[in-house]
Amino acid sequence: MTLIARARDRGVATLTLDSPANRNALSAALVGELREALAAAAADDTVRAVVLAHSGSTFCAGADLKAPPDPEAFVGLMRDVVALPKPVVARVDGHVRAGGLGLLAACDIAVAGGASSFALTESRLGLAPAVISLTLLPRVDRTAANRYYLTGERFDAAEAARIGLVTVAAEDVDKALVPVLDGLRRASPQGLAASKELVTATVLRSFDQYAEDLIARSAELFASEEAREGMTAFLERRDPAWVR
């Protein structure tokens, strides 16, 4: 079964996360297929930019707890998006949770519609937004990161734009995408690649410097008793033992 739908329109390749049964969760299979699709777009000289979209009411629910990807593969996916020599634009009009925010933050431009909502739910599961900090912390206002990392509160598209997570919040996400994609189509391939290299250089250096330690930290948290209780409670749709 294909988990990534592909389409093309005037030099823009649209890659759609198409696993609505599990809310486009980051399974090993989805991560692998998306990496392959990004590599194909990078190698295709007719592709000027990539739009990352979603089917269903959820952009990405975070890690698939039943079939999770290897942490290195997920970090590799985020790095693929950041390092792709072509702009990646996120089209979001649904829910984004946990690791899905890391994927979203890896994109160069993000447009979110009125149906969008966001939450960093890791702390409620006995975890932390460890590896996704590689893309989130360079992008999100630090005061807002302090709040949402710790509380796991849900916030809307307007707040996501205010704190820097998304570029544009709009009721009509496709209408808001029109001038963005028009601008990318008018830019030269060389100009796009060189410009993106400038704005992503610091983020890529942080991957090289911190990714290994954050992967180890994430693995340590996932193996803990608290995380097991948190994930079990989530799957059983109940509060974990520590809730007061």
Side-chain angles (χ1 to χ4, degrees):
M1 181 180 67
T2 299
L3 301 176
I4 305 297
R6 308 187 195 194
R8 183 80 61 85
D9 179 40
R10 295 172 53 214
V12 175
T14 297
L15 305 179
T16 301
L17 306 182
D18 193 21
S19 183
N22 69 347
R23 302 190 304 150
N24 295 319
L26 295 162
S27 64
L30 186 144
V31 167
E33 194 171 326
L34 182 53
R35 295 190 75 182
E36 291 175 2
L38 288 166
D44 189 340
D45 290 339
T46 68
V47 172
R48 185 67 52 85
V50 173
V51 170
L52 186 60
H54 63 97
S55 63
S57 61
T58 299
F59 174 78
C60 180
D64 186 334
L65 299 182
K66 296 180 179 179
D70 180 271
E72 292 184 359
F74 177 51
V75 170
L77 169 60
M78 292 191 296
R79 196 183 197 285
D80 289 347
V81 175
V82 176
L84 199 79
K86 301 171 184 184
V88 180
V89 180
R91 180 203 178 279
V92 180
D93 202 21
H95 308 303
V96 192
R97 298 290 183 268
L101 274 77
L103 178 60
L104 172 64
C107 298
D108 303 292
I109 299 169
V111 178
S116 303
S117 72
F118 308 83
L120 288 158
T121 53
E122 287 88 346
S123 67
R124 298 186 179 192
L125 298 176
L127 303 169
V131 296
I132 63 174
S133 290
L134 291 164
T135 57
L136 277 170
L137 290 183
R139 186 173 187 126
V140 173
D141 173 81
R142 183 54 62 91
T143 301
N146 289 346
R147 175 176 179 174
Y148 295 121
Y149 266 48
L150 297 174
T151 68
E153 292 171 271
R154 184 183 304 182
F155 53 95
D156 63 13
E159 175 70 352
R162 186 191 72 79
I163 68 176
L165 176 62
V166 304
T167 314
V168 178
E171 283 303 313
D172 188 333
V173 67
D174 291 314
K175 183 177 180 180
L177 276 171
V178 170
V180 173
L181 297 182
D182 181 64
L184 297 178
R185 288 184 173 110
R186 291 176 180 275
S188 81
Q190 175 177 282
L192 287 174
S195 297
K196 177 167 179 174
E197 186 176 8
L198 290 172
V199 297
T200 59
T202 301
V203 180
L204 289 173
R205 282 197 296 270
S206 76
F207 271 83
D208 297 336
Q209 187 172 357
Y210 301 117
E212 187 174 338
D213 288 343
L214 288 172
I215 289 171
R217 177 60 175 154
S218 180
E220 179 183 344
L221 288 168
F222 266 96
S224 69
E225 289 186 11
E226 279 196 17
R228 283 195 292 273
E229 164 61 9
M231 289 184 284
T232 300
F234 174 79
L235 294 172
E236 294 178 351
R237 299 180 182 274
R238 61 172 174 82
D239 284 339
W242 57 75
V243 172
R244 297 290 180 264

